[in-house]
């Protein structure tokens, strides 16, 4: 492992549970990995349980919430994922494994596939091609913009603000078309392999128009009392075990793009966005400002990416090694890590840490003492994907 | 005046399209000949089986997409749904891709409401159950309950390779469908056009 070391103790911030291990900023440890504590549910006189999900109009994916309430306040909450998929990856050659990794969570497919490939490349000790790494950044930043636009559209929809909702969905569609045009597939399926990205980013500057349009909607939302009243003070939480936009909204400048140097983000120069709101409004603000920041990065990448093929000579022989690799990337919702063991070009074992698993614990904690009317705004503000929560890799 | 949404909406103008201005190659119809190293056996005797294809490009360049997005099969129509057609989406085990593309039918580009197609929040008001993702254990019961709760006449729509054939992840949905919409994920245009076909005579 070139980027991580095994240790008895965690070093740097704690990221979360990675298989049977605990992942920190700089080290991986064996043994217990305390997760955010489950909130305590008091049983008061007249309180009752109310079930939301697993399938309901407001939910995009299948998850069940059991909410304890006294009619107004949410006193306690539990969540149960309903679409658990077991995906078998061990025993597969690298290329076959990629097909499955791509399908863990399509909205974050670039982040998943790139983290997986980087961990394999780490295990194989491959020399990484700079152009490939730049193109990988372009993929992840496009994915971030699409995701944040979608989360903000869901928030606007929850507030019944139809014009911005549809306008934002239009922008999501525009980003999908830009990705489709560049890479042939709207969710980056079939695009990534070892040291190679099959995309032509000649149209990348289209992102300027998209984000200019977004900026106007964003300015409108920030000034809309109808909108911000639903978000401010809703789902307030400051927890140092948080990741991604939820951490940055609470003032923690956690960002794998800066604290894990596997992709050359430093060559682009960008700001990590933080706020001190630590509520749904803060998470919305961080996402909005990150769209603008990612757009600047893509413009810089446009000048740096040469659309010639990678100069890396692929020798299948070099894949036939035994080794372990561990890599973390900043997916749109926070840290995403893969730990793989390789044997002779075959994936022997794989462990995954997704931002949705960390964000779900945080969300559940932040819901207590809010009212049900606030629930949907808080839920959407985390950008949790049940697909990656419910997946069990074998 | 930044949040006078109505004025803004008018100013932006109509963006709805008859046919998408841009289509990505993958997921469109695949044509070709010769050998294919297909992980889902979607090519048999040089014939392409759209329901099994996960659009992984392994068969490229012998087989190539031809930009025809009309990759759905209509098995049954229900003209009673001509004026209004209410869909209840249900995720039995998807990767989120089919969900996103389905959601984008409400974007101005596709604007499904112009065809009298709407989402509903409950299966009790639904004409169609639109299922995406592979069949997962816990969702079996949920699917059955949702189907039972729907009034007659009702139809089932399978969306995406996972729901139709299991794709490369698991098992498909063992229910008889009025429409099967191939793709991984299907393009919103493919979904929209397939849905309008259910309402025909
Ligand atoms: S794209 Fe992949 S799944 Fe589809 S026919 Fe070609 S090889 Fe088979
Ligand atoms: S068909 Fe493809 S996009 Fe749809 S759920 Fe399955 S893997 Fe995801």
């Amino acid at each position: 492992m070139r980027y991580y070391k095994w240790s008895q103790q965690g070093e740097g911030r704690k990221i979360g549970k990675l298989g049977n291990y605990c992942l920190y900023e700089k080290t991986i440890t064996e043994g217990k990995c305390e997760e955010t504590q489950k909130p305590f549910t008091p049983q008061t006189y007249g309180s009752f349980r109310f079930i939301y999900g697993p399938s309901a109009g407001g939910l995009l994916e299948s998850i069940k919430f059991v909410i304890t309430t006294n009619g107004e306040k949410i006193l306690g909450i539990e969540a149960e994922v309903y679409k658990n998929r077991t995906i078998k990856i061990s025993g597969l050659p690298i290329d076959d494994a990629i097909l499955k990794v791509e399908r863990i969570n399509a909205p974050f497919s670039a982040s998943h596939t790139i983290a997986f490939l980087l961990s394999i490349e780490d295990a194989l000790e491959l020399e990484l091609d700079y152009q490939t790494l730049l193109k990988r950044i372009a993929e992840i930043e496009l994915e971030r913009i699409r995701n944040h636009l979608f989360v903000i559209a869901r928030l606007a929809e929850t507030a019944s603000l139809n014009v911005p909702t549809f306008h934002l969905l239009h922008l999501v569609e525009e980003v999908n078309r830009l990705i489709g045009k560049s890479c042939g597939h709207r969710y980056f399926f079939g695009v990534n392999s070892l040291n190679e990205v099959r995309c032509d980013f000649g149209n990348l500057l289209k992102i300027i128009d998209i984000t200019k349009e977004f900026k106007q909607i964003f300015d409108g939302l920030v000034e809309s009392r109808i909108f911000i009243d639903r978000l401010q003070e809703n789902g307030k939480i400051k927890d140092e075990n948080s990741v991604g936009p939820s951490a940055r909204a609470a003032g923690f400048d956690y960002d794998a793009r800066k604290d894990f140097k596997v992709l050359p983000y430093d060559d682009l120069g960008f700001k990590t966005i933080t706020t001190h709101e630590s509520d749904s409004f803060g998470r919305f603000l961080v996402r909005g400002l990150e769209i603008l920041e990612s757009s600047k990065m893509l413009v810089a990448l446009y000048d740096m990416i040469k659309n010639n093929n990678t100069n890396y000579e692929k020798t299948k022989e070099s894949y036939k090694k035994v080794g372990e690799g561990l890599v973390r990337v900043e997916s749109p919702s926070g840290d995403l890590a893969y730990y793989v063991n390789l044997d002779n070009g075959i994936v022997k074992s794989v462990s995954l840490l997704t931002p949705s698993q960390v964000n779900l614990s945080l969300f559940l904690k932040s819901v207590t003492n809010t009212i049900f009317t606030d629930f949907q705004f808080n839920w959407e503000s985390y950008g949790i994907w049940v697909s990656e929560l419910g997946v069990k890799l074998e | 005046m930044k949040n006078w949404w109505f004025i803004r909406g008018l100013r932006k103008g109509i963006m709805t399209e008859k046919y998408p201005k841009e289509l990505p190659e993958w997921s469109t119809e695949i044509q070709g000949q010769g050998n294919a190293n297909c992980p889902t056996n979607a090519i048999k005797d040089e014939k392409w089986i759209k329901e099994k294809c996960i659009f992984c490009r392994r068969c490229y360049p012998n087989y190539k997409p031809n930009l025809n997005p009309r990759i759905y099969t209509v098995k049954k129509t229900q003209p009673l749904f001509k004026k209004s057609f209410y869909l209840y989406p249900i995720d039995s085990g998807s990767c989120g891709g089919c969900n996103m593309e389905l959601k984008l039918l409400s974007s101005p580009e596709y604007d499904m409401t112009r065809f009298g197609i709407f989402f509903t929040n409950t299966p009790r008001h639904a004409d169609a159950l639109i299922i995406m993702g592979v069949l997962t254990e816990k969702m079996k019961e949920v699917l059955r309950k949702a189907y039972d709760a729907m009034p007659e006449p009702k139809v089932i729509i399978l969306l995406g390779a996972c729901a139709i054939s299991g794709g490369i992840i698991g098992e498909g949905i063992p229910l008889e469908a009025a429409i099967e919409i191939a793709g991984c994920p299907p393009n919103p245009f493919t979904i929209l056009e397939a849905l309008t076909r259910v309402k025909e005579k």
Side-chain angles (χ1 to χ4, degrees):
Chain A
M1 293 199 293
R2 289 181 291 194
Y3 312 100
Y4 261 100
K5 57 177 194 285
W6 287 96
S7 154
Q8 298 282 42
Q9 269 175 344
E11 209 181 302
R13 71 179 163 110
K14 189 175 100 182
I15 317 282
K17 198 167 176 294
L18 175 67
N20 296 326
Y21 314 106
C22 196
L23 189 70
Y24 290 81
E25 198 177 321
K26 297 198 168 84
T27 56
I28 176 166
T29 64
E30 284 197 51
K32 238 174 142 195
C33 192
E34 301 262 325
E35 293 198 64
T36 304
Q37 268 187 349
K38 278 204 179 143
F40 167 73
T41 308
Q43 292 295 325
T44 58
Y45 174 75
S47 68
F48 59 95
R49 273 147 66 101
F50 160 72
I51 291 175
Y52 180 49
S55 165
L59 294 167
L60 203 65
E61 298 180 276
S62 301
I63 183 165
K64 179 166 117 181
F65 295 104
V66 181
I67 297 165
T68 306
T69 174
N70 54 12
E72 176 84 351
K73 247 195 218 165
I74 295 177
L75 303 171
I77 182 167
E78 281 158 44
E80 189 184 347
V81 171
Y82 253 69
K83 45 172 221 174
N84 308 69
R85 292 176 301 161
T86 303
I87 302 183
K88 192 163 166 38
I89 291 193
S90 56
L92 293 181
I94 299 162
D95 288 346
D96 290 354
I98 293 171
L99 295 181
K100 304 212 175 188
V101 170
E102 280 174 348
R103 287 163 179 80
I104 289 174
N105 183 30
F108 294 178
S109 156
S111 306
H112 273 270
T113 318
I114 291 167
F116 176 71
L117 281 168
L118 284 166
S119 67
I120 299 266
E121 288 157 356
D122 181 24
L124 294 172
E125 294 177 335
L126 289 186
E127 193 192 317
L128 303 178
D129 175 69
Y130 188 66
Q131 281 297 320
T132 301
L133 295 178
L134 291 179
K135 289 181 196 167
R136 287 177 176 173
I137 295 182
E139 284 183 55
I140 295 178
E141 293 315 307
L142 281 167
E143 192 161 88
R144 190 177 327 279
I145 292 178
R146 174 182 57 201
N147 176 72
H148 290 0
L149 287 170
F150 190 66
V151 170
I152 298 174
R154 299 277 298 164
L155 286 169
E157 187 181 6
T158 308
S160 301
L161 290 170
N162 289 341
V163 176
T165 305
F166 294 134
H167 203 153
L168 286 160
L169 285 177
H170 155 68
L171 295 180
V172 174
E173 174 64 18
E174 289 282 297
V175 178
N176 266 358
R177 287 185 183 188
L178 175 57
I179 298 172
K181 195 169 180 131
S182 311
C183 306
H185 190 283
R186 290 156 61 98
Y187 294 86
F188 301 107
F189 290 179
V191 164
N192 294 293
S193 51
L194 280 179
N195 240 338
E196 195 183 357
V197 174
R198 288 181 286 270
C199 292
D200 174 346
F201 288 114
N203 289 299
L204 210 48
L205 292 185
K206 174 98 180 56
I207 203 68
I208 299 176
D209 299 334
I210 297 173
T211 39
K212 256 194 199 154
E213 234 176 291
F214 166 70
K215 176 78 170 58
Q216 289 179 1
I217 308 172
F218 184 59
D219 289 347
L221 286 175
V222 170
E223 288 197 1
S224 163
R225 282 255 57 111
I226 301 173
F227 185 68
I228 61 176
D229 279 354
R230 317 301 298 270
L231 300 176
Q232 272 176 332
E233 300 295 315
N234 179 2
K236 209 167 173 158
I237 190 159
K238 193 173 170 89
D239 187 324
E240 55 186 39
N241 290 335
S242 51
V243 296
S246 348
R248 295 193 282 274
F252 300 107
D253 65 343
Y254 300 164
D255 193 332
R257 293 174 289 181
K258 290 227 163 123
D259 63 36
F260 192 83
K261 310 264 180 211
V262 66
L263 291 167
Y265 273 101
D266 281 354
D267 299 356
L268 300 171
F270 75 103
K271 264 201 329 251
T272 294
I273 310 286
T274 53
T275 75
H276 289 281
E277 309 280 335
S278 61
D279 51 13
S280 301
F281 185 62
R283 295 186 278 277
F284 152 76
L285 272 185
V286 166
R287 288 182 200 277
L289 296 169
E290 282 188 2
I291 290 176
L292 307 176
E293 203 57 32
S294 295
S295 166
K296 281 189 216 150
M297 266 189 258
L298 289 168
V299 173
L301 279 167
Y302 178 78
D303 287 331
M304 294 163 80
I305 291 176
K306 313 271 175 289
N307 270 316
N308 54 349
N309 278 339
T310 167
N311 54 22
Y312 173 78
E313 275 293 314
K314 269 200 204 170
T315 47
K316 288 261 173 189
E317 281 314 302
S318 69
Y319 300 173
K320 306 235 154 115
K321 280 189 184 165
V322 175
E324 56 177 358
L326 171 48
V327 164
R328 176 159 60 85
V329 301
E330 185 70 25
S331 85
S333 287
D335 297 82
L336 168 73
Y338 274 88
Y339 167 56
V340 295
N341 270 288
L342 269 191
D343 188 0
N344 229 352
I346 302 287
V347 181
K348 224 172 96 191
S349 67
V350 55
S351 309
L352 166 66
L353 182 157
T354 70
S356 295
Q357 79 200 45
V358 183
N359 280 318
L360 180 69
S361 328
L362 218 65
F363 162 71
L364 294 176
K365 221 172 147 188
S366 72
V367 172
T368 314
N369 289 332
T370 62
I371 54 170
F372 190 68
T373 333
D374 290 345
F375 181 90
Q376 201 72 29
F377 291 96
N378 192 10
W379 168 248
E380 299 298 351
S381 74
Y382 281 91
I384 291 167
W385 282 99
V386 183
S387 359
E388 61 173 15
L389 264 181
V391 81
K392 189 170 157 234
L393 295 185
E394 263 185 1
Chain B
M1 287 229 295
K2 277 181 185 157
N3 47 29
W4 284 30
W5 299 112
F6 172 69
I7 307 279
R8 279 166 165 277
L10 281 181
R11 222 184 266 148
K12 179 67 196 168
I14 297 164
M15 295 177 286
T16 308
E17 297 165 358
K18 266 201 173 136
Y19 191 84
K21 282 193 205 125
E22 271 172 32
L23 276 165
E25 288 171 86
W26 310 86
S27 312
T28 63
E29 186 184 28
I30 286 181
Q31 280 179 320
Q33 23 178 262
N35 292 334
N37 165 25
C38 178
T40 59
N41 295 321
I43 293 178
K44 211 174 164 206
D45 303 330
E46 300 201 349
K47 271 192 78 183
W48 178 62
I49 309 161
K50 57 181 177 299
E51 292 77 12
K52 286 190 176 179
C53 184
I54 56 161
F55 299 88
C56 66
R57 315 180 194 201
R58 289 258 179 111
C59 54
Y60 188 87
N62 286 0
Y63 292 80
K64 283 185 196 170
N66 66 5
L67 285 178
N68 170 17
R70 300 188 157 99
I71 48 168
Y72 51 80
T73 310
V74 182
K75 295 187 169 168
K76 200 170 111 192
T77 62
Q78 181 46 269
L80 259 183
F81 301 150
K82 192 172 188 310
K83 288 209 172 129
S84 79
F85 187 31
Y86 278 84
L87 311 171
Y88 186 71
I90 190 158
D91 172 2
S92 60
S94 79
C95 72
C98 285
N99 316 44
M100 285 269 281
E101 296 297 63
L102 181 67
K103 183 74 198 160
L104 283 172
L105 294 189
S106 14
S107 73
E109 275 82 351
Y110 306 103
D111 182 21
M112 63 182 195
T113 57
R114 72 191 149 130
F115 298 110
I117 304 174
F118 311 93
F119 291 126
T120 166
N121 283 343
T122 157
R124 294 214 184 274
H125 297 167
D127 303 312
L129 203 56
I130 179 156
I131 312 176
M132 50 215 157
V134 293
L135 182 69
T136 54
E137 204 44 49
K138 275 196 200 165
M139 285 305 289
K140 284 181 185 164
E141 173 77 358
V142 184
L143 280 181
R144 197 186 51 76
K145 279 193 179 160
Y147 185 74
D148 288 347
M150 288 166 70
E152 294 284 354
K154 52 188 170 187
V155 294
I156 287 177
I157 296 165
L158 298 181
L159 181 67
C162 284
I164 310 176
S165 66
I168 200 167
I169 297 291
E171 254 180 86
I173 309 293
L175 291 174
E176 207 184 306
I179 307 193
E180 292 177 352
I181 309 172
C184 183
N187 186 279
F189 174 78
T190 312
I191 308 173
L192 183 61
E193 195 175 86
L195 293 177
T196 59
R197 298 286 309 278
V198 189
K199 300 147 65 60
E200 289 173 0
K201 276 202 179 136

